[in-house]
Amino acid sequence: MSAPVFSTLGCRLNAYETEAMKELATAAGVDNAVVVNTCAVTAEAVRKAKQEIRRLRRENPQATIIVTGCAAQTEPATFSAMPEVDRVIGNTEKMQPATWAAMAPDLIGETERVQVDDILSVRETAGHLIDGFGRHRAYVQVQNGCDHRCTFCIIPFGRGNSRSVPAGVVVEQIRRLVDRGFAEVVLTGVDLTSWGADLPAAPHLGDLVMRILRLVPDLARLRISSIDSIEADEALMGALATEPRLMPHLHLSLQHGDDLILKRMKRRHLRDDAIRFCEEARRLRPDIVFGADIIAGFPTETEAAFANSLKLVEECGLTFLHVFPFSPRQGTPAARMPQLAGPVIRERAAQLRTLGEARLLAHLEGERGRTHRVLMEGPRMGRTEQFTEVAFAADQPEGRILSATVTGHAEGRLTATVAEADLAA
């Protein structure tokens, strides 16, 4: 008997769901299995999934290989055709106890090889919640799916339409996490700012944030993950301005800095909208730091259009860049548009990454001498309120939030010393 091995590719939501699958598989008695939780965000992500499956088969020749996740949902035939793969299960099925019960050793031969239903017909989020993910920071899934149809994105067909977890369920889970000692909780979803649209009275994400902070007073820190800035509601902006327990770090789904490209992407904002949002958020919370997703080399992107993306990084004051070289996804409108040459895409992505490195360096330099409340994630590494990594020269108590003064930076991290009051505690 051996416990299942899990390999997770892609986003934080996938990582969260892997933790839930571990619990489901353990409860069902699944053994001698390897589970690959795939990502479909780019063609490169699918290629890496296939590569990972082949590697795991070589290392586990007698195991049952189970493939799930977004790539399995959008391309079940691709993965079922791989000789290395024994089972393919969809994103809905992977969160159902019955699926894993059927994977138990005495039943595995009786189950269908491919279990992938129409995810666009799903109307509710999975009820399975986990009591922690990570050792000191917990991630709570409050939303899944997406109602938008950006021309480059396959994810709605992997995740389905937007579904929200009711606020009461979210609050109760966060209470359990705090009772178990978690100092920080991150709200996560596929299209987080659409939370609540499908619930009675159609509340907004800001309403959820305010409710959590009001009803869970012992929660030290709350974060929200990637958001669509054009959908940020008034209550969310108010929470940013007035609630110190809401952390001053936002990761924005911007994607580009040129209006024509944004329209061809079928985004819901223009460049000036993004700039205005960042200016307003910074006015409300002067210490806020922004990250952003930017795509390089979208079809029809001219030099001038690309230059607008470079300028947007400066105009929005972005610090953490997540750069995607454009990769056409079969079945999306963008895959049918005039494509740029691969070397051009790679060169533009490199320029964006270089700019991102410069922006991060400027942020690190600007932090010298400042004092932060740092959540210790390991004995010598923690993160500030703005999610910047901090390295310490000596061990600190894991899980605690310490006051630390920044002394400099090295290798993309701040260096700091702990305040005397915390040293004496």
Side-chain angles (χ1 to χ4, degrees):
M1 297 282 286
S2 59
V5 173
F6 284 80
S7 175
T8 305
L9 305 169
C11 65
R12 281 286 184 182
L13 188 54
N14 254 14
Y16 174 98
E17 290 173 343
T18 290
E19 296 302 308
M21 285 192 287
K22 286 179 181 178
E23 292 187 2
L24 292 168
T26 299
V30 175
D31 71 343
N32 196 31
V34 175
V35 183
V36 185
N37 198 8
T38 62
C39 173
V41 69
T42 63
E44 177 65 9
V46 176
R47 186 192 69 79
K48 287 182 177 179
K50 295 176 183 176
Q51 187 178 52
E52 177 73 350
I53 290 164
R54 293 185 183 105
R55 181 187 69 81
L56 289 167
R57 172 54 78 201
R58 288 194 299 272
E59 295 177 1
N60 303 273
Q62 303 304 317
T64 298
I65 301 285
I66 303 168
V67 179
T68 187
C70 289
Q73 180 69 46
T74 58
E75 302 183 33
T78 296
F79 292 96
S80 65
M82 293 181 67
E84 296 86 358
V85 175
D86 297 298
R87 294 288 184 277
V88 180
I89 60 176
N91 266 337
T92 299
E93 291 77 12
K94 76 180 183 183
M95 304 301 288
Q96 296 173 344
T99 301
W100 295 98
M103 298 287 180
D106 55 337
L107 295 176
I108 187 79
E110 301 175 16
T111 60
E112 294 182 33
R113 189 163 180 269
V114 179
Q115 300 175 62
V116 181
D117 288 337
D118 177 14
I119 201 165
L120 292 174
S121 67
V122 177
R123 293 291 176 264
E124 294 181 355
T125 51
H128 190 84
L129 300 173
I130 62 170
D131 282 330
F133 164 38
R135 296 167 64 188
H136 309 297
R137 173 182 298 107
Y139 292 79
V140 175
Q141 179 184 354
V142 303
Q143 183 274 339
N144 204 343
C146 184
D147 290 338
H148 307 299
R149 296 295 182 264
C150 297
T151 59
F152 56 84
C153 187
I154 198 74
I155 295 306
F157 304 98
R159 288 285 177 179
N161 292 314
S162 181
R163 294 100 67 200
S164 307
V165 177
V169 176
V170 175
V171 168
E172 183 55 36
Q173 188 189 13
I174 292 175
R175 281 183 178 141
R176 291 203 311 269
L177 292 166
V178 172
D179 288 345
R180 293 186 63 232
F182 285 92
E184 183 174 298
V185 166
V186 185
L187 303 183
T188 126
V190 174
D191 182 27
L192 198 57
T193 36
S194 71
W195 179 89
D198 57 323
L199 297 176
H204 297 290
L205 179 62
D207 300 319
L208 177 64
V209 167
M210 296 297 284
R211 184 168 179 175
I212 292 167
L213 293 171
R214 183 177 72 253
L215 297 180
V216 194
D218 293 335
L219 174 64
R221 291 161 57 141
L222 179 67
R223 290 190 189 276
I224 53 178
S225 58
S226 180
I227 68 166
D228 201 336
S229 58
I230 198 69
E231 295 181 335
D233 62 277
E234 187 175 338
L236 181 60
M237 301 305 284
L240 199 62
T242 62
E243 294 288 349
R245 290 187 293 150
L246 179 62
M247 294 294 97
H249 167 256
L250 292 175
H251 190 85
L252 309 177
S253 179
L254 297 182
Q255 309 305 346
H256 212 275
D258 183 79
D259 283 347
L260 181 58
I261 296 296
L262 287 167
K263 289 178 181 178
R264 288 174 176 165
M265 288 179 165
K266 209 174 179 182
R267 298 293 295 164
R268 294 164 301 288
H269 71 274
L270 299 175
R271 65 175 290 112
D272 285 348
D273 296 320
I275 295 167
R276 277 194 300 269
F277 172 83
C278 291
E279 289 174 347
E280 175 65 7
R282 193 170 281 113
R283 183 186 70 80
L284 295 172
R285 191 73 172 266
D287 61 339
I288 196 167
V289 167
F290 300 109
D293 295 331
I294 305 284
I295 294 175
F298 187 81
T300 77
E301 181 188 75
T302 62
E303 286 285 357
F306 174 67
N308 280 334
S309 278
L310 294 173
K311 286 189 288 187
L312 186 74
V313 173
E314 304 286 353
E315 290 166 332
C316 284
L318 305 179
T319 296
F320 303 108
L321 290 193
H322 192 181
V323 177
F324 291 87
F326 177 77
S327 175
R329 296 297 287 113
Q330 186 177 358
T332 62
R336 300 191 296 271
M337 297 178 185
Q339 306 292 308
L340 272 63
V344 173
I345 295 173
R346 290 190 290 274
E347 193 273 333
R348 290 179 183 177
Q351 284 189 55
L352 274 169
R353 291 190 180 107
T354 298
L355 178 57
E357 291 167 1
R359 292 293 307 175
L360 176 59
L361 181 61
H363 169 66
L364 298 175
E365 285 285 352
E367 293 295 286
R368 196 184 299 267
R370 294 185 178 177
T371 299
H372 285 286
R373 299 289 290 168
V374 177
L375 172 63
M376 296 304 303
E377 298 180 1
R380 297 196 180 190
M381 199 284 284
R383 289 187 188 267
T384 68
E385 305 91 332
Q386 293 83 3
F387 211 60
T388 310
E389 283 190 312
V390 186
F392 294 84
D395 288 356
Q396 309 299 333
E398 292 186 45
R400 275 187 57 188
I401 298 175
L402 305 174
S403 289
T405 302
V406 177
T407 56
H409 62 87
E411 298 180 347
R413 294 176 173 175
L414 296 172
T415 56
T417 57
V418 179
E420 288 187 11
D422 276 318
L423 283 172

